[in-house]
Each structure stands twice: as C-alpha cells, then as structure tokens.
Amino acid sequence: MLRQFLAAWLMVLLAACGILSEKTVDNSQWSASKFYIEAKNELNEGNYSAAVKLFEALEARYPYGRFAQQAQLEIAYAYYKDQEQASAIAAADRFIQLYPHHHNIDYAYYIKGLASFNDDQGLLGYITTKIIKQDLSERDAKASRESFEDFKLLVTRYPDSKYTPDALQRMAYLVNALARGEIHVARYYMKRKAYIAAIRRAQFVLEEYPQTPATEEALYIMASAYNELGMIDLREDTEKVIKKNFPESAYLTDSGSLVAKPWWRIW
C-alpha cells in the first residue's frame, strides 16, 4: 500500500515537473514581431503580468523600432487593466517624454487620465463604493484633479482624437465630483461653526465650478453662514441670487425665504 502511494506521488511530481517545463519557453531567438504577438496574446487573455514581462523583454532585446515604442504603450495599458495605477501612469509618462511627437501620443494621455480616474479600484475602492456607499466626491480629490488635467491636455492638444469624446464625458463627471467634494468640506465647516471657512469653500465652488449642480447648495451654505455671522445684507443678497437662479430650490420656503433649519437636517 505504501509502495503504491509513493508511486502515485512520484507520478504527480513528474507530471508537475512536466507542466512546469512546458511553461518554460526559450525566447532567445524570438524576433521583435514574435515578442509583440505573444505579449498581445497574453494581454488579450487577461494575463497582464505575463504581458508586461514580454513587452519589457521586447524593449530590452529590440530597443529601437516601432515594436519597442508600441510595447511601452501596451505596458501602460496592461498596468492599467491590472489595477496598477501608479505603474500605468509612470509608463505613460515615460512614453510621453521619449516620444512627444508619436502618432499615438493621445492614447498615452488617455491612459494617464483613466489610471487616475480609476484610482479607487481594487479592494479599498470596492469597500468604499459598494459597502460604505461612499461617493467619489467624499474621497481625496487629488486623483480626480490629476485625471481631469490629463484629460484636459488630451482634448486641448488633440481635439480630433478618437479618445476625446470619452475624455470630455469623464471631465464633466470629474468637475461635478470635485465641486461636490468642496461642498462636503463646506458642510464640515458649518457643523464645526467655522462659518468664514465655509463661506470661502462655497465661494470657491461658485468661482471654479459655476456650471455644476453644487452651486445651489454652495449659495445656501453662504447664505446660512452669513446669517450665523449676523451679516444680514450679505445673506439677503445671496438669497436673491438663489431665488433668481433656483426659484424651485429646496432651500427656500414656500414664501421664498431661506429655510430656517440647519442645512444638515433638511433631508
């Protein structure tokens, strides 16, 4: 019985060794196109780490020519798909620096924007968005700003790029998210009775994001803060702006005056 067990175990080990040996491929004689094709196959199959290794091997073996250049873009994309945002951005930056006039330079900017846009992917992103139900605007706005700037460069420099329409849509979303982020900070200051700070945040929304839905609440926060500070003239002026621009606002009573409840208890 023991002999049979050992024999079976030996067969398993030999089979495992066979499998491992089959996966060890000698690519020392591969051409640049062969490297590229094999790397693309790994990429298309979702084997992103394997794809990166092959693209890097292609670059090292054949550092000049169109395959090496394209490999750098593919590396950025593979890192992005593998949720390695920092590596994706670094790879895209490297391509931009080395080939600023490349015909696919617009794609490098697009990948950079996507990488920052999806900076909340992974386990932490899943927890915050799916379990805690935390909005993008409530998290650190650094990645959102970086993503917006990358997309802005793309649409400004390459307005005819095929990636521009999607970039514009993402920019619109990011602007709204950034504006809501400022509102979250202003709310915090209101709760802490830091009314001057709340006013400054609300004013920032009006100045930097004037066309976003967040402007309505920004005006209400300003009016409420002015009221708390006893600045009646400024409060009344702000109320007039709310009435003119948002006549059906939830922040106004039926008579048109400012809602008297603390703003955080309205909903």
PDB file of all heavy atoms in Angstrom, residues 174-210:
ATOM      1  N   LEU A 174     -15.984  64.443 -13.542  1.00  0.00           N
ATOM      2  CA  LEU A 174     -14.976  64.819 -12.555  1.00  0.00           C
ATOM      3  C   LEU A 174     -15.220  66.224 -12.008  1.00  0.00           C
ATOM      4  O   LEU A 174     -15.029  66.463 -10.806  1.00  0.00           O
ATOM      5  CB  LEU A 174     -13.584  64.743 -13.183  1.00  0.00           C
ATOM      6  CG  LEU A 174     -13.049  63.329 -13.439  1.00  0.00           C
ATOM      7  CD1 LEU A 174     -11.826  63.376 -14.340  1.00  0.00           C
ATOM      8  CD2 LEU A 174     -12.714  62.633 -12.124  1.00  0.00           C
ATOM      9  N   VAL A 175     -15.634  67.143 -12.865  1.00  0.00           N
ATOM     10  CA  VAL A 175     -15.923  68.501 -12.399  1.00  0.00           C
ATOM     11  C   VAL A 175     -17.027  68.476 -11.353  1.00  0.00           C
ATOM     12  O   VAL A 175     -16.934  69.128 -10.307  1.00  0.00           O
ATOM     13  CB  VAL A 175     -16.317  69.410 -13.582  1.00  0.00           C
ATOM     14  CG1 VAL A 175     -16.958  70.698 -13.082  1.00  0.00           C
ATOM     15  CG2 VAL A 175     -15.094  69.756 -14.409  1.00  0.00           C
ATOM     16  N   ASN A 176     -18.076  67.716 -11.624  1.00  0.00           N
ATOM     17  CA  ASN A 176     -19.169  67.605 -10.646  1.00  0.00           C
ATOM     18  C   ASN A 176     -18.689  66.972  -9.353  1.00  0.00           C
ATOM     19  O   ASN A 176     -19.081  67.395  -8.255  1.00  0.00           O
ATOM     20  CB  ASN A 176     -20.326  66.792 -11.234  1.00  0.00           C
ATOM     21  CG  ASN A 176     -21.083  67.549 -12.305  1.00  0.00           C
ATOM     22  OD1 ASN A 176     -21.135  68.779 -12.297  1.00  0.00           O
ATOM     23  ND2 ASN A 176     -21.683  66.831 -13.233  1.00  0.00           N
ATOM     24  N   ALA A 177     -17.836  65.953  -9.480  1.00  0.00           N
ATOM     25  CA  ALA A 177     -17.312  65.289  -8.283  1.00  0.00           C
ATOM     26  C   ALA A 177     -16.435  66.229  -7.469  1.00  0.00           C
ATOM     27  O   ALA A 177     -16.519  66.265  -6.231  1.00  0.00           O
ATOM     28  CB  ALA A 177     -16.528  64.040  -8.678  1.00  0.00           C
ATOM     29  N   LEU A 178     -15.603  67.012  -8.145  1.00  0.00           N
ATOM     30  CA  LEU A 178     -14.738  67.963  -7.443  1.00  0.00           C
ATOM     31  C   LEU A 178     -15.560  69.041  -6.755  1.00  0.00           C
ATOM     32  O   LEU A 178     -15.254  69.446  -5.621  1.00  0.00           O
ATOM     33  CB  LEU A 178     -13.751  68.590  -8.426  1.00  0.00           C
ATOM     34  CG  LEU A 178     -12.639  67.667  -8.936  1.00  0.00           C
ATOM     35  CD1 LEU A 178     -11.922  68.289 -10.122  1.00  0.00           C
ATOM     36  CD2 LEU A 178     -11.649  67.344  -7.820  1.00  0.00           C
ATOM     37  N   ALA A 179     -16.605  69.500  -7.426  1.00  0.00           N
ATOM     38  CA  ALA A 179     -17.473  70.517  -6.817  1.00  0.00           C
ATOM     39  C   ALA A 179     -18.175  69.963  -5.586  1.00  0.00           C
ATOM     40  O   ALA A 179     -18.242  70.627  -4.545  1.00  0.00           O
ATOM     41  CB  ALA A 179     -18.498  70.997  -7.840  1.00  0.00           C
ATOM     42  N   ARG A 180     -18.675  68.738  -5.686  1.00  0.00           N
ATOM     43  CA  ARG A 180     -19.330  68.113  -4.533  1.00  0.00           C
ATOM     44  C   ARG A 180     -18.333  67.914  -3.393  1.00  0.00           C
ATOM     45  O   ARG A 180     -18.693  68.008  -2.217  1.00  0.00           O
ATOM     46  CB  ARG A 180     -19.955  66.769  -4.928  1.00  0.00           C
ATOM     47  CG  ARG A 180     -21.142  66.884  -5.850  1.00  0.00           C
ATOM     48  CD  ARG A 180     -21.970  65.595  -5.882  1.00  0.00           C
ATOM     49  NE  ARG A 180     -21.157  64.430  -6.200  1.00  0.00           N
ATOM     50  CZ  ARG A 180     -20.901  64.007  -7.425  1.00  0.00           C
ATOM     51  NH1 ARG A 180     -21.374  64.678  -8.461  1.00  0.00           N
ATOM     52  NH2 ARG A 180     -20.181  62.925  -7.636  1.00  0.00           N
ATOM     53  N   GLY A 181     -17.082  67.636  -3.754  1.00  0.00           N
ATOM     54  CA  GLY A 181     -16.056  67.479  -2.718  1.00  0.00           C
ATOM     55  C   GLY A 181     -15.872  68.753  -1.917  1.00  0.00           C
ATOM     56  O   GLY A 181     -15.730  68.711  -0.685  1.00  0.00           O
ATOM     57  N   GLU A 182     -15.882  69.890  -2.603  1.00  0.00           N
ATOM     58  CA  GLU A 182     -15.778  71.175  -1.895  1.00  0.00           C
ATOM     59  C   GLU A 182     -16.996  71.409  -1.009  1.00  0.00           C
ATOM     60  O   GLU A 182     -16.876  71.965   0.093  1.00  0.00           O
ATOM     61  CB  GLU A 182     -15.627  72.312  -2.909  1.00  0.00           C
ATOM     62  CG  GLU A 182     -14.370  72.257  -3.749  1.00  0.00           C
ATOM     63  CD  GLU A 182     -13.104  72.416  -2.910  1.00  0.00           C
ATOM     64  OE1 GLU A 182     -13.153  73.079  -1.862  1.00  0.00           O
ATOM     65  OE2 GLU A 182     -12.058  71.861  -3.311  1.00  0.00           O
ATOM     66  N   ILE A 183     -18.145  70.975  -1.476  1.00  0.00           N
ATOM     67  CA  ILE A 183     -19.369  71.117  -0.673  1.00  0.00           C
ATOM     68  C   ILE A 183     -19.281  70.276   0.596  1.00  0.00           C
ATOM     69  O   ILE A 183     -19.705  70.718   1.681  1.00  0.00           O
ATOM     70  CB  ILE A 183     -20.610  70.725  -1.497  1.00  0.00           C
ATOM     71  CG1 ILE A 183     -20.873  71.757  -2.588  1.00  0.00           C
ATOM     72  CG2 ILE A 183     -21.837  70.574  -0.610  1.00  0.00           C
ATOM     73  CD1 ILE A 183     -21.211  73.136  -2.080  1.00  0.00           C
ATOM     74  N   HIS A 184     -18.733  69.080   0.488  1.00  0.00           N
ATOM     75  CA  HIS A 184     -18.574  68.232   1.681  1.00  0.00           C
ATOM     76  C   HIS A 184     -17.697  68.927   2.720  1.00  0.00           C
ATOM     77  O   HIS A 184     -17.974  68.860   3.926  1.00  0.00           O
ATOM     78  CB  HIS A 184     -17.961  66.886   1.299  1.00  0.00           C
ATOM     79  CG  HIS A 184     -18.905  65.948   0.627  1.00  0.00           C
ATOM     80  ND1 HIS A 184     -20.073  65.505   1.213  1.00  0.00           N
ATOM     81  CD2 HIS A 184     -18.868  65.362  -0.595  1.00  0.00           C
ATOM     82  CE1 HIS A 184     -20.701  64.688   0.393  1.00  0.00           C
ATOM     83  NE2 HIS A 184     -20.002  64.582  -0.708  1.00  0.00           N
ATOM     84  N   VAL A 185     -16.651  69.595   2.250  1.00  0.00           N
ATOM     85  CA  VAL A 185     -15.780  70.319   3.175  1.00  0.00           C
ATOM     86  C   VAL A 185     -16.518  71.497   3.793  1.00  0.00           C
ATOM     87  O   VAL A 185     -16.419  71.759   4.998  1.00  0.00           O
ATOM     88  CB  VAL A 185     -14.506  70.799   2.447  1.00  0.00           C
ATOM     89  CG1 VAL A 185     -13.630  71.619   3.397  1.00  0.00           C
ATOM     90  CG2 VAL A 185     -13.720  69.611   1.907  1.00  0.00           C
ATOM     91  N   ALA A 186     -17.284  72.214   2.968  1.00  0.00           N
ATOM     92  CA  ALA A 186     -18.052  73.354   3.478  1.00  0.00           C
ATOM     93  C   ALA A 186     -19.069  72.901   4.522  1.00  0.00           C
ATOM     94  O   ALA A 186     -19.293  73.579   5.542  1.00  0.00           O
ATOM     95  CB  ALA A 186     -18.750  74.066   2.324  1.00  0.00           C
ATOM     96  N   ARG A 187     -19.693  71.761   4.295  1.00  0.00           N
ATOM     97  CA  ARG A 187     -20.640  71.209   5.281  1.00  0.00           C
ATOM     98  C   ARG A 187     -19.934  70.946   6.609  1.00  0.00           C
ATOM     99  O   ARG A 187     -20.473  71.218   7.684  1.00  0.00           O
ATOM    100  CB  ARG A 187     -21.238  69.902   4.757  1.00  0.00           C
ATOM    101  CG  ARG A 187     -22.212  70.035   3.607  1.00  0.00           C
ATOM    102  CD  ARG A 187     -22.630  68.648   3.154  1.00  0.00           C
ATOM    103  NE  ARG A 187     -23.537  68.661   2.020  1.00  0.00           N
ATOM    104  CZ  ARG A 187     -23.963  67.574   1.403  1.00  0.00           C
ATOM    105  NH1 ARG A 187     -23.521  66.387   1.805  1.00  0.00           N
ATOM    106  NH2 ARG A 187     -24.799  67.669   0.396  1.00  0.00           N
ATOM    107  N   TYR A 188     -18.751  70.367   6.508  1.00  0.00           N
ATOM    108  CA  TYR A 188     -17.972  70.073   7.710  1.00  0.00           C
ATOM    109  C   TYR A 188     -17.715  71.347   8.506  1.00  0.00           C
ATOM    110  O   TYR A 188     -17.882  71.384   9.732  1.00  0.00           O
ATOM    111  CB  TYR A 188     -16.651  69.407   7.319  1.00  0.00           C
ATOM    112  CG  TYR A 188     -15.673  69.276   8.459  1.00  0.00           C
ATOM    113  CD1 TYR A 188     -15.799  68.263   9.405  1.00  0.00           C
ATOM    114  CD2 TYR A 188     -14.610  70.171   8.585  1.00  0.00           C
ATOM    115  CE1 TYR A 188     -14.902  68.145  10.459  1.00  0.00           C
ATOM    116  CE2 TYR A 188     -13.706  70.064   9.625  1.00  0.00           C
ATOM    117  CZ  TYR A 188     -13.854  69.044  10.564  1.00  0.00           C
ATOM    118  OH  TYR A 188     -12.981  68.943  11.610  1.00  0.00           O
ATOM    119  N   TYR A 189     -17.320  72.405   7.798  1.00  0.00           N
ATOM    120  CA  TYR A 189     -17.054  73.674   8.480  1.00  0.00           C
ATOM    121  C   TYR A 189     -18.324  74.247   9.104  1.00  0.00           C
ATOM    122  O   TYR A 189     -18.274  74.829  10.199  1.00  0.00           O
ATOM    123  CB  TYR A 189     -16.453  74.685   7.507  1.00  0.00           C
ATOM    124  CG  TYR A 189     -15.000  74.413   7.160  1.00  0.00           C
ATOM    125  CD1 TYR A 189     -14.545  74.495   5.845  1.00  0.00           C
ATOM    126  CD2 TYR A 189     -14.076  74.080   8.154  1.00  0.00           C
ATOM    127  CE1 TYR A 189     -13.215  74.258   5.532  1.00  0.00           C
ATOM    128  CE2 TYR A 189     -12.754  73.835   7.846  1.00  0.00           C
ATOM    129  CZ  TYR A 189     -12.329  73.925   6.532  1.00  0.00           C
ATOM    130  OH  TYR A 189     -11.007  73.678   6.230  1.00  0.00           O
ATOM    131  N   MET A 190     -19.447  74.065   8.444  1.00  0.00           N
ATOM    132  CA  MET A 190     -20.715  74.547   9.014  1.00  0.00           C
ATOM    133  C   MET A 190     -21.033  73.812  10.307  1.00  0.00           C
ATOM    134  O   MET A 190     -21.464  74.415  11.294  1.00  0.00           O
ATOM    135  CB  MET A 190     -21.846  74.368   8.006  1.00  0.00           C
ATOM    136  CG  MET A 190     -21.809  75.321   6.831  1.00  0.00           C
ATOM    137  SD  MET A 190     -22.066  77.059   7.303  1.00  0.00           S
ATOM    138  CE  MET A 190     -23.810  77.052   7.731  1.00  0.00           C
ATOM    139  N   LYS A 191     -20.808  72.502  10.300  1.00  0.00           N
ATOM    140  CA  LYS A 191     -21.063  71.717  11.515  1.00  0.00           C
ATOM    141  C   LYS A 191     -20.152  72.148  12.652  1.00  0.00           C
ATOM    142  O   LYS A 191     -20.558  72.136  13.821  1.00  0.00           O
ATOM    143  CB  LYS A 191     -20.853  70.221  11.222  1.00  0.00           C
ATOM    144  CG  LYS A 191     -21.932  69.600  10.366  1.00  0.00           C
ATOM    145  CD  LYS A 191     -21.652  68.115  10.147  1.00  0.00           C
ATOM    146  CE  LYS A 191     -22.729  67.463   9.302  1.00  0.00           C
ATOM    147  NZ  LYS A 191     -22.475  66.022   9.077  1.00  0.00           N
ATOM    148  N   ARG A 192     -18.934  72.538  12.302  1.00  0.00           N
ATOM    149  CA  ARG A 192     -17.982  72.989  13.320  1.00  0.00           C
ATOM    150  C   ARG A 192     -18.136  74.483  13.639  1.00  0.00           C
ATOM    151  O   ARG A 192     -17.375  75.032  14.423  1.00  0.00           O
ATOM    152  CB  ARG A 192     -16.553  72.716  12.839  1.00  0.00           C
ATOM    153  CG  ARG A 192     -16.235  71.249  12.611  1.00  0.00           C
ATOM    154  CD  ARG A 192     -16.334  70.438  13.880  1.00  0.00           C
ATOM    155  NE  ARG A 192     -15.369  70.873  14.863  1.00  0.00           N
ATOM    156  CZ  ARG A 192     -14.163  70.317  15.016  1.00  0.00           C
ATOM    157  NH1 ARG A 192     -13.816  69.302  14.244  1.00  0.00           N
ATOM    158  NH2 ARG A 192     -13.342  70.756  15.946  1.00  0.00           N
ATOM    159  N   LYS A 193     -19.124  75.112  13.016  1.00  0.00           N
ATOM    160  CA  LYS A 193     -19.392  76.544  13.200  1.00  0.00           C
ATOM    161  C   LYS A 193     -18.218  77.413  12.758  1.00  0.00           C
ATOM    162  O   LYS A 193     -18.031  78.529  13.251  1.00  0.00           O
ATOM    163  CB  LYS A 193     -19.764  76.844  14.660  1.00  0.00           C
ATOM    164  CG  LYS A 193     -21.027  76.110  15.116  1.00  0.00           C
ATOM    165  CD  LYS A 193     -21.410  76.471  16.546  1.00  0.00           C
ATOM    166  CE  LYS A 193     -22.680  75.735  16.962  1.00  0.00           C
ATOM    167  NZ  LYS A 193     -23.105  76.085  18.348  1.00  0.00           N
ATOM    168  N   ALA A 194     -17.470  76.905  11.814  1.00  0.00           N
ATOM    169  CA  ALA A 194     -16.385  77.685  11.208  1.00  0.00           C
ATOM    170  C   ALA A 194     -16.959  78.366   9.969  1.00  0.00           C
ATOM    171  O   ALA A 194     -16.699  77.973   8.824  1.00  0.00           O
ATOM    172  CB  ALA A 194     -15.208  76.775  10.857  1.00  0.00           C
ATOM    173  N   TYR A 195     -17.730  79.381  10.186  1.00  0.00           N
ATOM    174  CA  TYR A 195     -18.551  79.960   9.125  1.00  0.00           C
ATOM    175  C   TYR A 195     -17.729  80.670   8.044  1.00  0.00           C
ATOM    176  O   TYR A 195     -18.069  80.613   6.859  1.00  0.00           O
ATOM    177  CB  TYR A 195     -19.586  80.910   9.728  1.00  0.00           C
ATOM    178  CG  TYR A 195     -20.496  80.230  10.716  1.00  0.00           C
ATOM    179  CD1 TYR A 195     -20.572  80.650  12.046  1.00  0.00           C
ATOM    180  CD2 TYR A 195     -21.266  79.135  10.324  1.00  0.00           C
ATOM    181  CE1 TYR A 195     -21.402  80.009  12.954  1.00  0.00           C
ATOM    182  CE2 TYR A 195     -22.103  78.481  11.225  1.00  0.00           C
ATOM    183  CZ  TYR A 195     -22.153  78.923  12.543  1.00  0.00           C
ATOM    184  OH  TYR A 195     -22.968  78.276  13.437  1.00  0.00           O
ATOM    185  N   ILE A 196     -16.666  81.350   8.434  1.00  0.00           N
ATOM    186  CA  ILE A 196     -15.825  82.020   7.443  1.00  0.00           C
ATOM    187  C   ILE A 196     -15.206  80.996   6.492  1.00  0.00           C
ATOM    188  O   ILE A 196     -15.180  81.191   5.272  1.00  0.00           O
ATOM    189  CB  ILE A 196     -14.719  82.853   8.128  1.00  0.00           C
ATOM    190  CG1 ILE A 196     -15.340  83.959   8.996  1.00  0.00           C
ATOM    191  CG2 ILE A 196     -13.786  83.446   7.092  1.00  0.00           C
ATOM    192  CD1 ILE A 196     -16.130  84.977   8.212  1.00  0.00           C
ATOM    193  N   ALA A 197     -14.719  79.904   7.063  1.00  0.00           N
ATOM    194  CA  ALA A 197     -14.122  78.845   6.241  1.00  0.00           C
ATOM    195  C   ALA A 197     -15.163  78.232   5.309  1.00  0.00           C
ATOM    196  O   ALA A 197     -14.876  77.923   4.144  1.00  0.00           O
ATOM    197  CB  ALA A 197     -13.509  77.775   7.139  1.00  0.00           C
ATOM    198  N   ALA A 198     -16.388  78.059   5.824  1.00  0.00           N
ATOM    199  CA  ALA A 198     -17.463  77.506   4.996  1.00  0.00           C
ATOM    200  C   ALA A 198     -17.779  78.429   3.829  1.00  0.00           C
ATOM    201  O   ALA A 198     -17.993  77.985   2.694  1.00  0.00           O
ATOM    202  CB  ALA A 198     -18.710  77.279   5.847  1.00  0.00           C
ATOM    203  N   ILE A 199     -17.816  79.733   4.105  1.00  0.00           N
ATOM    204  CA  ILE A 199     -18.090  80.712   3.045  1.00  0.00           C
ATOM    205  C   ILE A 199     -17.012  80.649   1.969  1.00  0.00           C
ATOM    206  O   ILE A 199     -17.299  80.681   0.766  1.00  0.00           O
ATOM    207  CB  ILE A 199     -18.176  82.133   3.648  1.00  0.00           C
ATOM    208  CG1 ILE A 199     -19.452  82.271   4.489  1.00  0.00           C
ATOM    209  CG2 ILE A 199     -18.152  83.191   2.547  1.00  0.00           C
ATOM    210  CD1 ILE A 199     -19.515  83.536   5.310  1.00  0.00           C
ATOM    211  N   ARG A 200     -15.763  80.555   2.377  1.00  0.00           N
ATOM    212  CA  ARG A 200     -14.669  80.503   1.407  1.00  0.00           C
ATOM    213  C   ARG A 200     -14.767  79.277   0.512  1.00  0.00           C
ATOM    214  O   ARG A 200     -14.526  79.359  -0.703  1.00  0.00           O
ATOM    215  CB  ARG A 200     -13.335  80.522   2.155  1.00  0.00           C
ATOM    216  CG  ARG A 200     -12.998  81.882   2.769  1.00  0.00           C
ATOM    217  CD  ARG A 200     -11.752  81.808   3.618  1.00  0.00           C
ATOM    218  NE  ARG A 200     -11.422  83.117   4.190  1.00  0.00           N
ATOM    219  CZ  ARG A 200     -10.522  83.306   5.148  1.00  0.00           C
ATOM    220  NH1 ARG A 200      -9.856  82.253   5.643  1.00  0.00           N
ATOM    221  NH2 ARG A 200     -10.274  84.519   5.610  1.00  0.00           N
ATOM    222  N   ARG A 201     -15.111  78.148   1.112  1.00  0.00           N
ATOM    223  CA  ARG A 201     -15.260  76.929   0.313  1.00  0.00           C
ATOM    224  C   ARG A 201     -16.418  77.079  -0.667  1.00  0.00           C
ATOM    225  O   ARG A 201     -16.319  76.673  -1.834  1.00  0.00           O
ATOM    226  CB  ARG A 201     -15.496  75.729   1.228  1.00  0.00           C
ATOM    227  CG  ARG A 201     -14.256  75.255   1.934  1.00  0.00           C
ATOM    228  CD  ARG A 201     -13.308  74.559   0.972  1.00  0.00           C
ATOM    229  NE  ARG A 201     -12.129  74.055   1.655  1.00  0.00           N
ATOM    230  CZ  ARG A 201     -11.261  73.209   1.134  1.00  0.00           C
ATOM    231  NH1 ARG A 201     -11.421  72.773  -0.088  1.00  0.00           N
ATOM    232  NH2 ARG A 201     -10.210  72.821   1.813  1.00  0.00           N
ATOM    233  N   ALA A 202     -17.528  77.628  -0.204  1.00  0.00           N
ATOM    234  CA  ALA A 202     -18.686  77.806  -1.072  1.00  0.00           C
ATOM    235  C   ALA A 202     -18.370  78.777  -2.204  1.00  0.00           C
ATOM    236  O   ALA A 202     -18.753  78.560  -3.363  1.00  0.00           O
ATOM    237  CB  ALA A 202     -19.875  78.306  -0.254  1.00  0.00           C
ATOM    238  N   GLN A 203     -17.657  79.844  -1.889  1.00  0.00           N
ATOM    239  CA  GLN A 203     -17.255  80.801  -2.922  1.00  0.00           C
ATOM    240  C   GLN A 203     -16.339  80.151  -3.958  1.00  0.00           C
ATOM    241  O   GLN A 203     -16.426  80.449  -5.147  1.00  0.00           O
ATOM    242  CB  GLN A 203     -16.555  81.998  -2.280  1.00  0.00           C
ATOM    243  CG  GLN A 203     -17.489  82.931  -1.528  1.00  0.00           C
ATOM    244  CD  GLN A 203     -16.749  84.053  -0.816  1.00  0.00           C
ATOM    245  OE1 GLN A 203     -15.568  83.905  -0.455  1.00  0.00           O
ATOM    246  NE2 GLN A 203     -17.434  85.167  -0.583  1.00  0.00           N
ATOM    247  N   PHE A 204     -15.487  79.265  -3.487  1.00  0.00           N
ATOM    248  CA  PHE A 204     -14.579  78.558  -4.396  1.00  0.00           C
ATOM    249  C   PHE A 204     -15.378  77.742  -5.409  1.00  0.00           C
ATOM    250  O   PHE A 204     -15.039  77.695  -6.602  1.00  0.00           O
ATOM    251  CB  PHE A 204     -13.644  77.654  -3.607  1.00  0.00           C
ATOM    252  CG  PHE A 204     -12.639  76.936  -4.456  1.00  0.00           C
ATOM    253  CD1 PHE A 204     -11.485  77.569  -4.891  1.00  0.00           C
ATOM    254  CD2 PHE A 204     -12.839  75.614  -4.830  1.00  0.00           C
ATOM    255  CE1 PHE A 204     -10.555  76.907  -5.682  1.00  0.00           C
ATOM    256  CE2 PHE A 204     -11.922  74.943  -5.626  1.00  0.00           C
ATOM    257  CZ  PHE A 204     -10.771  75.591  -6.050  1.00  0.00           C
ATOM    258  N   VAL A 205     -16.451  77.103  -4.951  1.00  0.00           N
ATOM    259  CA  VAL A 205     -17.315  76.329  -5.846  1.00  0.00           C
ATOM    260  C   VAL A 205     -17.918  77.237  -6.911  1.00  0.00           C
ATOM    261  O   VAL A 205     -17.939  76.904  -8.104  1.00  0.00           O
ATOM    262  CB  VAL A 205     -18.418  75.607  -5.061  1.00  0.00           C
ATOM    263  CG1 VAL A 205     -19.438  74.971  -6.017  1.00  0.00           C
ATOM    264  CG2 VAL A 205     -17.826  74.545  -4.151  1.00  0.00           C
ATOM    265  N   LEU A 206     -18.414  78.396  -6.478  1.00  0.00           N
ATOM    266  CA  LEU A 206     -19.033  79.326  -7.421  1.00  0.00           C
ATOM    267  C   LEU A 206     -18.029  79.854  -8.440  1.00  0.00           C
ATOM    268  O   LEU A 206     -18.372  80.068  -9.608  1.00  0.00           O
ATOM    269  CB  LEU A 206     -19.662  80.498  -6.661  1.00  0.00           C
ATOM    270  CG  LEU A 206     -20.781  80.139  -5.674  1.00  0.00           C
ATOM    271  CD1 LEU A 206     -21.279  81.395  -4.967  1.00  0.00           C
ATOM    272  CD2 LEU A 206     -21.928  79.449  -6.389  1.00  0.00           C
ATOM    273  N   GLU A 207     -16.796  80.045  -8.019  1.00  0.00           N
ATOM    274  CA  GLU A 207     -15.773  80.598  -8.911  1.00  0.00           C
ATOM    275  C   GLU A 207     -15.193  79.550  -9.857  1.00  0.00           C
ATOM    276  O   GLU A 207     -14.982  79.822 -11.048  1.00  0.00           O
ATOM    277  CB  GLU A 207     -14.649  81.211  -8.079  1.00  0.00           C
ATOM    278  CG  GLU A 207     -15.073  82.446  -7.285  1.00  0.00           C
ATOM    279  CD  GLU A 207     -14.036  82.867  -6.259  1.00  0.00           C
ATOM    280  OE1 GLU A 207     -12.968  82.204  -6.198  1.00  0.00           O
ATOM    281  OE2 GLU A 207     -14.275  83.835  -5.521  1.00  0.00           O
ATOM    282  N   GLU A 208     -14.932  78.353  -9.322  1.00  0.00           N
ATOM    283  CA  GLU A 208     -14.237  77.328 -10.105  1.00  0.00           C
ATOM    284  C   GLU A 208     -15.185  76.373 -10.831  1.00  0.00           C
ATOM    285  O   GLU A 208     -14.841  75.834 -11.885  1.00  0.00           O
ATOM    286  CB  GLU A 208     -13.304  76.524  -9.196  1.00  0.00           C
ATOM    287  CG  GLU A 208     -12.184  77.344  -8.578  1.00  0.00           C
ATOM    288  CD  GLU A 208     -11.228  77.889  -9.623  1.00  0.00           C
ATOM    289  OE1 GLU A 208     -10.936  77.169 -10.602  1.00  0.00           O
ATOM    290  OE2 GLU A 208     -10.778  79.045  -9.457  1.00  0.00           O
ATOM    291  N   TYR A 209     -16.369  76.153 -10.271  1.00  0.00           N
ATOM    292  CA  TYR A 209     -17.310  75.197 -10.858  1.00  0.00           C
ATOM    293  C   TYR A 209     -18.693  75.834 -11.004  1.00  0.00           C
ATOM    294  O   TYR A 209     -19.686  75.327 -10.468  1.00  0.00           O
ATOM    295  CB  TYR A 209     -17.387  73.941  -9.994  1.00  0.00           C
ATOM    296  CG  TYR A 209     -16.036  73.397  -9.586  1.00  0.00           C
ATOM    297  CD1 TYR A 209     -15.613  73.442  -8.250  1.00  0.00           C
ATOM    298  CD2 TYR A 209     -15.170  72.846 -10.523  1.00  0.00           C
ATOM    299  CE1 TYR A 209     -14.372  72.950  -7.874  1.00  0.00           C
ATOM    300  CE2 TYR A 209     -13.926  72.352 -10.154  1.00  0.00           C
ATOM    301  CZ  TYR A 209     -13.536  72.407  -8.832  1.00  0.00           C
ATOM    302  OH  TYR A 209     -12.304  71.926  -8.466  1.00  0.00           O
ATOM    303  N   PRO A 210     -18.791  76.937 -11.735  1.00  0.00           N
ATOM    304  CA  PRO A 210     -20.044  77.704 -11.771  1.00  0.00           C
ATOM    305  C   PRO A 210     -21.205  77.008 -12.477  1.00  0.00           C
ATOM    306  O   PRO A 210     -22.366  77.369 -12.251  1.00  0.00           O
ATOM    307  CB  PRO A 210     -19.646  78.984 -12.510  1.00  0.00           C
ATOM    308  CG  PRO A 210     -18.489  78.575 -13.365  1.00  0.00           C
ATOM    309  CD  PRO A 210     -17.740  77.555 -12.554  1.00  0.00           C
TER     310      PRO A 210
END
